[in-house]
Amino acid sequence: MAATRLELNVMRLLSRCEALAAERRDPEEWRLEKYVAALEDMLRELKKQSSKPAPELLNEYSRKVDFLKGFLEAEKLSSSMEKALANQFLAPGRTPTTAKERTPATKTVHLQTKARCTGQMRSELLGTVGLVLLLCWYFADCPCLQSDEKQSAVELDAVLQHHQDMQEKLAEEMLSLARSLKNNTLAAQNVIKQDNQTLSHSLRMADQNFEKLKDESDRLEQHAKKSVNWLLWIMLIVVCFIFISMILFIRIFPKLK
């Protein structure tokens, strides 16, 4: 079935939104947010049409729109750690929007965002380490603070402890996220495996039923042919008997004068 005008507009606007999301944008850039809102309204109208696309295609459109909405929400977060965690929960599209794409644009945006958040987190950690080293040098070499050496050491230990706590917290969150993703993947694999087994069993039962139905149809056809043959012979015998009886009746009882 050919795509309707509204579906073509949805595909064009979706492709434009994916292109804007892939670019480096100004924090004050407003077009993408407006485009995604308009795209959501158009998709809602497309679902109400009588000549709407296949359910799989509608689900793919909804998946990409949800990804763009989540992408915008993640961009509004303040820390790179929160952005990275929010980005992990985003689900990009599975198929390209246009024929020119080799891989889905939302998947490319997802990978770019993940790499950017990882780089920001690395920069923040390196900046914290540099600050700690600078403080170490300052407290060790500044002559005006020799009398407060103990207090400086305590403050330095507090900074180092805070930095270590941040690293441990980040590592725990990443491990928890990886564990959750692994559990979800295993659960999805089990569900898919069970569905495949059920589908295989259904196909086998359908094949067996088809073979049985075919055999019964052949037997019924043969039985019908036999019944027709016997009935034909009986009718022929009856007609011959009636014909011979009429001739004998005419011979025995001549016509009255």
Side-chain angles (χ1 to χ4, degrees):
M1 185 177 63
T4 60
R5 185 179 183 85
L6 180 58
E7 185 181 356
L8 291 176
N9 291 336
V10 168
M11 292 173 62
R12 293 192 187 100
L13 186 56
L14 180 58
S15 178
R16 178 59 179 161
C17 291
E18 291 172 347
L20 285 175
E23 297 174 357
R24 285 189 173 274
R25 297 175 296 110
D26 256 350
E28 298 179 357
E29 175 65 41
W30 55 269
R31 288 182 300 169
L32 181 58
E33 189 170 356
K34 297 296 182 182
Y35 287 172
V36 172
L39 184 61
E40 191 175 7
D41 295 337
M42 292 170 65
L43 183 60
R44 195 179 298 114
E45 291 182 8
L46 183 62
K47 292 180 179 179
K48 295 179 181 178
Q49 285 189 342
S50 57
S51 58
K52 57 185 179 182
E56 295 82 4
L57 196 55
L58 283 176
N59 291 336
E60 184 66 16
Y61 290 155
S62 301
R63 185 185 182 92
K64 292 180 180 180
V65 172
D66 292 339
F67 172 81
L68 291 172
K69 289 169 59 180
F71 171 77
L72 289 173
E73 293 296 328
E75 287 293 320
K76 295 178 182 178
L77 298 175
S78 57
S79 67
S80 57
M81 185 187 303
E82 293 176 349
K83 290 181 181 179
L85 291 175
N87 185 66
Q88 290 292 335
F89 291 102
L90 296 180
R94 297 189 180 95
T95 58
T97 304
T98 60
K100 298 179 181 179
E101 300 176 3
R102 292 186 177 180
T103 57
T106 49
K107 187 174 182 179
T108 305
V109 173
H110 188 246
L111 294 175
Q112 290 177 351
T113 307
K114 183 177 180 180
R116 185 166 61 250
C117 292
T118 304
Q120 291 176 356
M121 292 171 61
R122 187 182 296 111
S123 299
E124 290 179 1
L125 291 176
L126 290 177
T128 306
V129 172
L131 179 61
V132 170
L133 293 176
L134 181 62
L135 289 173
C136 291
W137 174 82
Y138 181 73
F139 286 127
D141 295 341
C142 185
C144 61
L145 295 177
Q146 293 296 327
S147 58
D148 299 332
E149 183 177 355
K150 293 183 180 180
Q151 182 179 357
S152 301
V154 171
E155 292 177 357
L156 180 58
D157 290 339
V159 173
L160 291 173
Q161 185 64 36
H162 176 68
H163 176 64
Q164 185 177 0
D165 293 340
M166 286 181 59
Q167 287 183 335
E168 291 178 354
K169 183 179 179 182
L170 178 61
E172 289 176 359
E173 290 178 352
M174 296 299 289
L175 287 174
S176 176
L177 180 61
R179 194 178 298 111
S180 176
L181 290 175
K182 181 181 178 181
N183 293 334
N184 292 336
T185 303
L186 292 175
Q189 287 178 353
N190 292 332
V191 171
I192 292 173
K193 186 177 180 181
Q194 293 176 0
D195 291 343
N196 289 334
Q197 291 177 352
T198 304
L199 182 60
S200 301
H201 179 69
S202 301
L203 290 175
R204 285 196 300 269
M205 293 296 295
D207 292 337
Q208 293 176 2
N209 293 334
F210 178 76
E211 293 296 332
K212 291 180 180 179
L213 182 62
K214 186 178 179 181
D215 294 340
E216 294 297 328
S217 299
D218 294 339
R219 290 176 57 189
L220 182 61
E221 185 178 358
Q222 293 176 1
H223 182 69
K225 287 180 180 180
K226 290 180 180 179
S227 300
V228 170
N229 291 334
W230 281 107
L231 182 62
L232 181 61
W233 281 108
I234 292 173
M235 290 178 64
L236 287 174
I237 293 171
V238 170
V239 170
C240 292
F241 177 77
I242 293 173
F243 179 73
I244 295 172
S245 300
M246 289 298 296
I247 292 176
L248 292 175
F249 182 79
I250 293 172
R251 294 283 185 182
I252 295 172
F253 298 100
K255 184 177 181 182
L256 296 176
K257 294 181 181 180

